Amino acid sequence: MQAIVLVGGEGTRLRPLTYGTPKPMVPIVNVPFLARTLERLYAAEIRDVILAAGYMPQAIVDYFGDGSQLDMKVTYVIEETPLGTAGAIKNVEEHITGPFFVLNGDILTSLDLRAMRQYHHEKGGIGTLHLIRVDDPSPFGCVVHDEAGRVSRFVEKPPKGEEPTNEINAGTYLLEREILDYIPPNKNVSIERETFPQVIAAGKALYAHTTGDYWLDLGRPEQYLAAHRDVLNGTMPLAVEPGLSGDGSEALRGHPGVIAPVHAAADVVVDASAKVGPNVVLGRGCSIGTNAVVRESVLWERVSVGAGAFIEEAILASGVTVGPKAHVSKGSVIGHDVSVEPGAVLEPGARLGSAPP
Ligand code: GTP
């Protein structure tokens, strides 16, 4: 079985983080998200992965190479211009040998891919779509199906109060090769808005596989922080122990200012008077100064927090320096290598960092 992972998007909603790191390489608890996705594929015995990339592909290629270190085969197909979610699949056609999974590259989920494969074989359709139920389906693509699971209709982003169902497209598909016949080549095509409705109109069977799994789209900063909270608290099962975890946990154990859960890389330096946690991740080379406070935040690599600084519900990319007594307010997102001036007070939801020249 093969899998195509869609990793070509620009990740505009995660800017300025995605000016320096493509969204699939954004770390989830100190490991690039795409590495976690490949681990999940490996666990489901999928060893042949095609990455449909486009935006900043080199960062992805440099990290995974040909996949041999993961005991996988990783093939890259890079789009000159974005082809959309179906166009990207059509673009890798020459590498597809049979039924294949398609994964949106920014979904954190506990979905059991093996169970989905079993369901797909039982149903025998041209494709199976993973669905989940949400309280508010209006920002998503609703999928309507009958009792046997056969999909009859797609409704994209319905107005509030007019949602036909609370089951939404969760961004994982298992498709037969035949579906490629429904996608025109070299064109920007959306699978959810164009291809799936056309397949149904042609009388082909698509089936819904609705589960109660953990599911989160990492597209926005609030969701990125929520994902960390859920992993650190054990709500989303990932290979991270709740409590104090990471190679740096020994250094933090017994530290009077640390409130679990906190995950820290091996070489972090946290002053004895600093307060860190709950729900904080510190990447390699981070240092937290005297009387500084860091809560509910994710710090990538080499982030330096000055004495008396305060950071709450924020994301700080690699190489950020926060000056002494600076205040990084809730919802702030700070891009690579930005320096926050000593004593600066950021507005809630501040975005600091610009596109590279
Ligand atoms: P935003 O710009 O913030 O909307 O993010 P995005 O560009 O990643 O778009 P979106 O979240 O809708 O994309 C969902 C998934 O599909 C992500 O994993 C993207 O990388 C991927 N994706 C979106 N458009 C394309 C495309 O044109 N080509 C490829 N190969 N992947 C895409």
Side-chain angles (χ1 to χ4, degrees), residues 5-15 18 23-24 51-55 77 79 81-89 103-107 188-189 192 217-220:
V5 189
L6 301 175
V7 293
E10 284 194 37
T12 52
R13 292 164 299 159
L14 276 186
R15 287 177 181 165
T18 44
K23 187 158 72 170
L51 299 180
Y55 176 69
V77 180
E79 292 154 42
T81 53
L83 291 171
T85 44
I89 297 169
L103 278 67
N104 271 4
D106 55 356
I107 302 293
N188 188 304
V189 184
E192 49 275 55
D217 166 349
L218 295 171
R220 286 185 286 117

Side-chain angles (χ1 to χ4, degrees), residues 10-11 13 27 36 38 47 69 78 89 103 131 139 179 204 218 234 253 255 257 260 265 290 299 302 322 357:
E10 284 194 37
R13 292 164 299 159
R36 301 223 178 253
L38 295 194
R47 303 283 189 271
Q69 288 208 345
I78 296 166
I89 297 169
L103 278 67
L131 309 187
I179 206 151
K204 294 287 174 181
L218 295 171
R253 219 174 293 280
H255 185 299
T290 320
L299 279 54
R302 295 172 284 101
V322 179

Side-chain angles (χ1 to χ4, degrees), residues 120-128 174-176 204-207:
H120 178 74
H121 286 314
E122 283 163 20
K123 290 293 180 183
I126 192 173
T128 297
L174 180 40
L175 305 174
E176 294 295 322
K204 294 287 174 181
L206 286 177
Y207 284 94

